[in-house]
Amino acid sequence: MSLVLENITVTVPDGRETLTVLDRVSLRVRPKELVALTGPSGSGKSTLLAVAGLLLRPTEGRVSIGGTDASALADRDRTRLRGTGIGIVYQSANLLPSLTAREQVEVVAHVNGRLGRGTRARAEELLVRVGLESRIDARPSGLSGGERQRVALARALMMEPAVLLADEPTASLDPSRGAEVMRLLREEGRRIGAATLLVTHDPDETANADREVRLERTPTTVA
C-alpha cells in the first residue's frame, strides 16, 4: 500500500508574518519502494516527514496512508492509524533506558492494544532479523550506537506498517554501521511491502535508494 502526499502546504506564524515551509508538494511512494528525500537545510524535509507520519496536520493538502485518507480523520483515528500503519526511525534511537531490547519492541504492541501471547515471539523474531539474536536481553546502556538503531528499526517494524519513515537514521553512526542499518531498512521495508521514505544527506544512501526526490525551495515569508 502506498504513501500519497498531494499538494502539501505548511505555513506557520512568524511574528507578524507567515512563513511558508512547504508549498504544494506532492509525492507518491509505492509499496516496496525506498525513496530518498534530499535537499538543503531549511527546505522542509523533516516537516514533510512529520506530515507523512501524521505528526503534523498540513495547512492544505491530503495525506493517504495505505489507501486511507488521513486528512479527514479525527485526531483519535489519526493516532490509531499512526500506531498501526506507520513505522518511524529517527536519527536518535530514543530507547527507554530501563527496558531490554525485546521489551523496547514489545511495548509497541502494548501501546496499540495488540499485546498477546505471540508478542514476545514476534519481538524476538524481529531482533533476530536485524542481527541482534545475542542482544535480546540487553539494555540500551549495553548496546552500541548501531545496535540501538537496529532495535529502533525492529520496533518500527513491529506492526508491519504500510509506511516506513526514516529521518537520517545513520547520521550518528560510523560508515560501516550506517551501511548495515541502511541495508536492513531497505531489505525489511521490501519484505513487509512498506512504502519507505528516507530523509538523508548521504550520497551513498541516495545512490542505493530506488528514487531521489529533492526539495529545492527555500521557505518564504508573506505579510
Side-chain angles (χ1 to χ4, degrees):
M1 293 183 283
S2 299
L3 164 67
V4 181
L5 305 170
E6 293 183 296
N7 296 316
I8 299 298
T9 296
V10 174
T11 61
V12 295
D14 184 28
R16 294 183 178 181
E17 300 177 326
T18 298
L19 178 68
T20 301
V21 182
L22 294 169
D23 187 10
R24 292 170 293 179
V25 175
S26 294
L27 172 64
R28 177 186 294 269
V29 185
R30 297 181 295 272
K32 298 186 178 183
E33 184 181 31
L34 191 157
V35 172
L37 183 64
T38 65
S41 297
S43 59
K45 300 184 301 298
S46 293
T47 300
L48 188 63
L49 207 71
V51 171
L54 307 186
L55 297 167
L56 174 68
R57 282 189 183 269
T59 307
E60 296 179 11
R62 188 176 75 90
V63 181
S64 176
I65 304 292
T68 298
D69 183 357
S71 308
L73 295 178
D75 288 344
R76 181 178 61 181
D77 295 326
R78 282 169 61 90
T79 298
R80 185 180 300 113
L81 179 58
R82 182 169 62 246
T84 59
I86 303 171
I88 306 178
V89 183
Y90 296 100
Q91 183 173 335
S92 173
N94 296 320
L95 302 182
L96 298 170
S98 63
L99 299 185
T100 66
R102 186 191 68 249
E103 291 167 342
Q104 306 280 350
V105 181
E106 288 178 320
V107 77
V108 177
H110 176 71
V111 168
N112 288 288
R114 303 289 181 87
L115 196 63
R117 286 189 294 179
T119 300
R120 182 187 180 105
R122 167 71 176 155
E124 292 183 354
E125 174 194 353
L126 285 169
L127 290 168
V128 169
R129 290 196 66 86
V130 299
L132 294 176
E133 56 271 14
S134 65
R135 313 296 285 149
I136 285 173
D137 294 318
R139 289 180 169 79
S141 61
L143 299 172
S144 70
E147 288 172 336
R148 288 193 291 272
Q149 281 300 79
R150 283 188 273 165
V151 173
L153 176 56
R155 182 178 59 190
L157 295 167
M158 183 63 179
M159 304 305 294
E160 294 204 344
V163 170
L164 192 56
L165 306 175
D167 193 356
E168 299 192 68
T170 67
S172 61
L173 304 179
D174 63 53
S176 62
R177 288 174 174 165
E180 178 64 12
V181 168
M182 271 302 302
R183 181 186 67 80
L184 290 166
L185 179 69
R186 183 174 58 251
E187 289 182 357
E188 291 301 303
R190 288 174 178 169
R191 180 181 65 84
I192 66 173
T196 304
L197 182 61
L198 165 74
V199 170
T200 183
H201 287 99
D202 189 329
D204 290 335
E205 294 179 1
T206 301
N208 284 301
D210 296 306
R211 184 161 51 97
E212 177 185 3
V213 173
R214 184 171 177 84
L215 293 180
E216 295 285 2
R217 186 181 180 283
T218 301
T220 57
T221 56
V222 295

